[in-house]
């Protein structure tokens, strides 16, 4: 059973546009929802994370929107730039399991 | 502050051999986690260590093992390598638990 479902698999956006990636989870015990950015040949880099006590968190051009009742959260990248072209992973964690469970990833391409 | 370091960065082994990968966490971090990344399965949790104790283990065969030393450095070992073990092995560290995990660049293992 896939604990976190990420969509879309790939996304092409024009420079200056908004990129939106979605994730849905099953287990209501999850209480930590990070997004990671990975460039080819590099390890994933923590981008932004949210806890379920808030519905939105913004850091620069990156925003997480969180819908607890729908068990969904999304990453919004405003004013997308070619340098944002990378693979993005959502993840979930919670309780005392000490691990991150990742979505399958979204390959974002921002065209100049 | 230096990031997570992993050695070696690249490794080529033959089926049936064993391999040991090393990870040095961010200074002060006591939790070290290992993940396997493949194109087909994505990012999958292997195990997590805190203060030399394994607190959680993923769904991998017993050929995959790890340990953590008193200085928080960690190693993982894969015995009797199979072709399917070819992957990027990522180490991540944090103060404690899965919150704010920071990843290293990974070790690319190729099994021939």
């Amino acid at each position: 059973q896939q604990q976190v479902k990420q969509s879309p698999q790939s996304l092409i956006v024009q420079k200056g546009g908004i990129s939106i990636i979605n994730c849905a989870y099953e287990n209501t015990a999850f209480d930590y929802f990070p997004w990671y950015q990975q460039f080819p040949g590099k390890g994933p880099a923590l981008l932004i994370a949210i806890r379920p006590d808030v519905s939105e968190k913004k850091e620069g051009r990156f925003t997480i929107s969180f819908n607890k009742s729908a068990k969904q959260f999304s990453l919004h990248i405003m004013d997308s730039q070619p340098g944002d072209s990378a693979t993005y992973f959502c993840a979930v964690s919670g309780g005392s399991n000490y691990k991150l469970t990742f979505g399958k990833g979204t390959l974002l391409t921002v065209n100049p | 502050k230096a990031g997570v370091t992993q050695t070696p960065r690249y490794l080529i082994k033959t089926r049936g051999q064993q391999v040991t990968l090393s990870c040095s966490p961010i200074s002060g971090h006591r939790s070290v986690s290992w993940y396997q990344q493949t194109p087909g399965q994505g990012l999958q949790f292997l195990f997590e260590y805190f203060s030399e104790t394994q607190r959680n283990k993923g769904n991998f065969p017993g050929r995959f093992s790890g340990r953590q030393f008193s200085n928080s450095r960690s190693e993982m070992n894969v015995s009797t390598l199979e072709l399917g073990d070819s992957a990027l092995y990522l180490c991540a560290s944090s103060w404690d638990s899965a919150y704010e995990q920071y990843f290293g660049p990974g070790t690319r293992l190729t099994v021939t």
Side-chain angles (χ1 to χ4, degrees):
Chain A
Q1 181 186 4
Q2 196 176 345
Q3 294 200 60
V4 55
K5 294 182 180 179
Q6 183 173 344
S7 62
Q9 274 189 309
S10 62
L11 181 62
I12 300 175
V13 173
Q14 292 300 119
K15 179 182 175 182
I18 302 174
S19 304
I20 301 175
I21 306 170
N22 302 297
C23 277
Y25 62 96
E26 294 291 326
N27 191 339
T28 55
F30 293 138
D31 63 358
Y32 178 65
F33 306 89
W35 285 91
Y36 282 82
Q37 177 191 57
Q38 186 176 29
F39 293 104
K42 306 286 187 182
L46 180 61
L47 201 56
I48 187 172
I50 198 168
R51 297 289 187 102
D53 53 340
V54 296
S55 60
E56 186 175 282
K57 183 176 181 180
K58 183 177 181 179
E59 288 184 3
R61 296 185 294 109
F62 301 92
T63 300
I64 296 181
S65 295
F66 182 78
N67 186 328
K68 188 175 182 178
S69 60
K71 293 187 286 185
Q72 295 176 348
F73 60 108
S74 59
L75 176 69
H76 296 235
I77 305 175
M78 313 300 288
D79 186 27
S80 298
Q81 299 296 313
D84 297 330
S85 297
T87 300
Y88 292 81
F89 295 93
C90 66
V92 296
S93 183
S96 58
N97 64 16
Y98 310 115
K99 70 175 185 180
L100 291 170
T101 300
F102 286 88
K104 292 293 187 183
T106 297
L107 178 61
L108 171 65
T109 302
V110 181
N111 288 329
Chain B
K1 185 183 277 191
V4 178
T5 58
Q6 292 187 245
T7 56
R9 291 293 314 280
Y10 303 92
L11 209 48
I12 299 175
K13 289 287 187 180
T14 303
R15 202 168 33 176
Q17 289 184 315
Q18 75 165 17
V19 66
T20 299
L21 312 181
S22 181
C23 171
S24 293
I26 291 171
S27 178
H29 284 188
R30 295 169 65 189
S31 170
V32 173
S33 300
W34 289 88
Y35 294 83
Q36 181 196 64
Q37 185 174 27
T38 60
Q41 298 300 315
L43 281 151
Q44 292 189 288
F45 172 78
L46 280 157
F47 25 66
E48 188 266 357
Y49 288 88
F50 181 86
S51 292
E52 303 178 67
T53 299
Q54 186 184 86
R55 296 193 297 188
N56 198 1
K57 188 178 191 305
N59 190 23
F60 279 83
R63 300 185 296 107
F64 291 82
S65 63
R67 59 177 175 168
Q68 187 181 34
F69 302 96
S70 58
N71 61 359
S72 294
R73 193 177 67 84
S74 177
E75 289 181 347
M76 67 163 282
N77 183 277
V78 187
S79 62
T80 318
L81 284 166
E82 300 178 359
L83 296 178
D85 297 334
S86 295
L88 181 67
Y89 289 89
L90 293 157
C91 169
S93 76
S94 68
W95 294 105
D96 185 9
S97 79
Y99 306 139
E100 294 198 22
Q101 279 192 359
Y102 295 91
F103 283 81
T107 294
R108 173 73 61 187
L109 172 64
T110 302
V111 182
T112 61

